[in-house]
Amino acid sequence: MQKLSDTEILEQAQTAATHQDWGQLSQDLQKILASEDQSKTALFSDPNTTPILLDLAMQVLESGSFQDRWEIAKLLPNFGIDAIAPLIDLLNDEEVDPEAQWFAVRVLGGFNHPRVIEALIELLKTSQSEDLNSMAVSVLASMGKTAVSMLETLLADDSTRLFAVQALGQIRRSETVPLLMQVVQDSEVQIRAIAIEALSSFHSDEITTVLIGALQDTAVQVRLAAVTGLGFRSDSPNLVGQIRPLLFDLNLEVCRQAAIALGRLGTLQAAIALYEVLQSEHTPENLSIELVRALGWIALPEALSYLETALIELPEVVQLEIVQTLGRVDAVELKSQATEILLSRLPKLESVGIRQAIALSLGQLGNPEAINALVALLADTDDGVRFHAISALKTLDAELSHQHLERLAKIEPEESELGRGVAIALREWHF
């Protein structure tokens, strides 16, 4: 079959448009606009043809199916700034399908042009479509510094202030800081929360002071944003005293984020604050688990000592978290301490689940001193504990552990629990 020239395809496309066959029109335009041969260049160099192609593409964008619109939206940037005016016209047409307008906003996002910014700002002032407004905010945010000064006009209007703050919050440039600082006391909770969260990306004493003040906000969203942001300011003094009260917040998620923030600060004072709340009999188990994790992030011997004490005192579900946390200790200088804590508690624990977890954690810590204790677990009556011990031995030091088991197999009676466990380990070793 003879291949049609782009001129012939254009004629076919015009016929498809006449018959409102948007699918065929979309296919024809894709053949023309996506081609890389000289005929495409010739068509675009013809001042009479380019407007025709653009008009046809806009017809698909306005009336085609979602898939048709999707494909044409990818091709419209080929027309350069000539596409801006018809896209804005479509955006302002109240009779047009909102989906077509959504695509228009999406395409306009590729043009960092003052007319586009103005059009999107006007859209935010008048549109009632959540999807359309969300796309407009994202597009404005993607324009960065260019859009900042124009977004300032939206802050003055109650109906558009939220959209402006949403866009400013996504831009993450220092130029947005003065504008965001204007709304940290706004009457709308969502606006305050977005502003506080966005300001957390910038470091200055003034911003830290604002975040500390936001810890007292009556809205949960704002307190959450503030305490999360302060957790990344380990260079700021006296934050532990500011964050600690939020461990007792009426909202459990705020308590959880406060624990995470203190763990990130990583100081001895933070560890003390976390442990004091962990010890309280009024602390819910799910918060206790978060407190344990936070203590595990603090690379200090005192933090591990607090976990050791808690391993004796707290309920089994929290003990299990402590064991798992000790197994995740990364600091080389603390691995030996973590190993000693687990080894000291192992003989005193009746819980099968915790014995399994200790075996796994000992393997993760990689301290050869744990080999004897893990081999002893092969005598456990629970098969799960035995297999966890085998896995840990392989992880810890496979060659050394295997040699130890082979020596033990020669002297340990086969009928003993340990003898049976050693035999199982040797059989399973290479699986």
Side-chain angles (χ1 to χ4, degrees):
M1 183 176 179
Q2 187 177 3
K3 183 180 178 181
L4 297 176
S5 68
D6 280 349
T7 302
E8 291 171 324
I9 297 174
L10 176 56
E11 293 174 357
Q12 183 174 284
Q14 290 174 303
T15 301
T18 302
H19 293 92
Q20 297 186 358
D21 187 348
W22 310 122
Q24 182 62 52
L25 175 55
S26 175
Q27 291 177 29
D28 292 336
L29 290 174
Q30 289 175 60
K31 290 175 184 176
I32 298 172
L33 299 175
S35 67
E36 298 180 357
D37 56 27
Q38 293 182 348
S39 60
K40 173 183 173 181
T41 305
L43 283 173
F44 271 97
S45 63
D46 184 347
N48 296 317
T49 304
T50 301
I52 295 172
L53 288 169
L54 178 55
D55 178 66
L56 292 172
M58 290 303 302
Q59 289 186 52
V60 175
L61 196 67
E62 182 174 346
S63 304
S65 67
F66 182 91
Q67 187 61 40
D68 296 333
R69 288 166 170 162
W70 181 272
E71 297 299 334
I72 289 300
K74 292 187 290 187
L75 299 174
L76 278 166
N78 285 325
F79 295 97
I81 61 173
D82 289 342
I84 292 177
L87 285 167
I88 291 176
D89 288 342
L90 187 150
L91 198 58
N92 294 330
D93 189 342
E94 297 179 358
E95 304 299 321
V96 169
D97 181 355
E99 183 179 272
Q101 293 179 309
W102 185 90
F103 273 103
V105 174
R106 191 170 182 271
V107 176
L108 284 168
F111 301 98
N112 199 331
H113 192 281
R115 288 184 62 197
V116 173
I117 297 174
E118 291 172 5
L120 294 178
I121 286 176
E122 286 304 312
L123 174 70
L124 289 172
K125 291 179 179 179
T126 57
S127 172
Q128 301 298 315
S129 169
E130 185 174 333
D131 288 341
L132 205 55
N133 290 339
S134 177
M135 176 57 77
V137 166
S138 296
V139 167
L140 286 169
S142 71
M143 293 179 177
K145 184 178 179 179
T146 308
V148 171
S149 60
M150 300 192 73
L151 285 169
E152 185 173 8
T153 63
L154 296 182
L155 287 177
D157 190 331
D158 291 344
S159 65
T160 56
R161 187 175 299 121
L162 174 59
F163 300 125
V165 174
Q166 286 174 332
L168 291 168
Q170 293 179 48
I171 292 174
R172 294 296 199 264
R173 294 181 62 95
S174 59
E175 292 87 356
T176 67
V177 170
L179 301 182
L180 292 167
M181 293 288 271
Q182 293 178 23
V183 294
V184 292
Q185 299 292 339
D186 195 88
S187 59
E188 291 291 330
V189 170
Q190 190 176 1
I191 290 175
R192 298 201 304 275
I194 293 171
I196 292 296
E197 191 274 332
L199 286 168
S200 298
S201 298
F202 306 95
H203 284 252
S204 73
D205 292 342
E206 184 182 13
I207 290 174
T208 299
T209 300
V210 168
L211 297 183
I212 290 172
L215 294 176
Q216 308 298 322
D217 200 285
T218 56
V220 170
Q221 287 174 261
V222 180
R223 297 200 302 278
L224 275 175
V227 74
T228 300
L230 288 171
F232 293 97
R233 283 170 153 70
S234 57
D235 54 339
S236 299
N238 305 319
L239 284 183
V240 172
Q242 303 290 346
I243 294 174
R244 185 183 181 279
L246 274 75
L247 292 172
F248 305 93
D249 198 275
L250 294 176
N251 183 275
L252 195 57
E253 181 61 18
V254 173
C255 299
R256 194 180 76 83
Q257 285 297 333
I260 292 171
L262 289 170
R264 285 177 175 147
L265 293 180
T267 64
L268 177 58
Q269 291 72 26
I272 293 170
L274 291 165
Y275 179 58
E276 287 175 350
V277 181
L278 183 60
Q279 280 186 307
S280 172
E281 61 182 17
H282 302 296
T283 302
E285 283 187 354
N286 51 357
L287 177 56
S288 293
I289 288 172
E290 206 64 65
L291 293 166
V292 166
R293 291 172 181 166
L295 279 167
W297 295 333
I298 298 177
L300 294 172
E302 293 86 350
L304 295 195
S305 296
Y306 292 146
L307 290 176
E308 181 178 16
T309 304
L311 189 54
I312 302 171
E313 302 172 345
L314 296 178
E316 182 175 324
V317 65
V318 184
Q319 289 180 348
L320 182 60
E321 188 63 41
I322 292 172
V323 169
Q324 293 170 339
T325 296
L326 289 170
R328 291 192 291 265
V329 168
D330 287 329
V332 176
E333 66 274 16
L334 297 179
K335 283 181 176 288
S336 179
Q337 182 184 356
T339 300
E340 290 174 8
I341 292 171
L342 293 173
L343 291 176
S344 67
R345 294 305 306 156
L346 190 53
K348 305 170 186 177
L349 294 170
E350 297 181 358
S351 166
V352 168
I354 294 182
R355 293 204 302 277
Q356 291 178 357
I358 286 181
L360 183 62
S361 289
L362 287 172
Q364 291 172 330
L365 288 168
N367 191 330
E369 293 179 7
I371 288 179
N372 288 334
L374 288 168
V375 169
L377 282 177
L378 296 176
D380 200 286
T381 55
D382 182 82
D383 286 340
V385 174
R386 282 177 169 171
F387 284 106
H388 275 74
I390 294 169
S391 176
L393 286 166
K394 291 180 181 180
T395 303
L396 196 155
D397 189 325
E399 184 177 354
L400 185 62
S401 297
H402 191 257
Q403 291 172 357
H404 187 81
L405 291 172
E406 286 185 323
R407 288 195 300 270
L408 197 57
K410 295 176 182 178
I411 61 175
E412 187 66 30
E414 293 182 4
E415 64 274 10
S416 70
E417 288 294 340
L418 180 57
R420 282 194 286 271
V422 170
I424 291 171
L426 288 172
R427 285 198 305 270
E428 296 289 332
W429 198 256
H430 298 294
F431 289 95

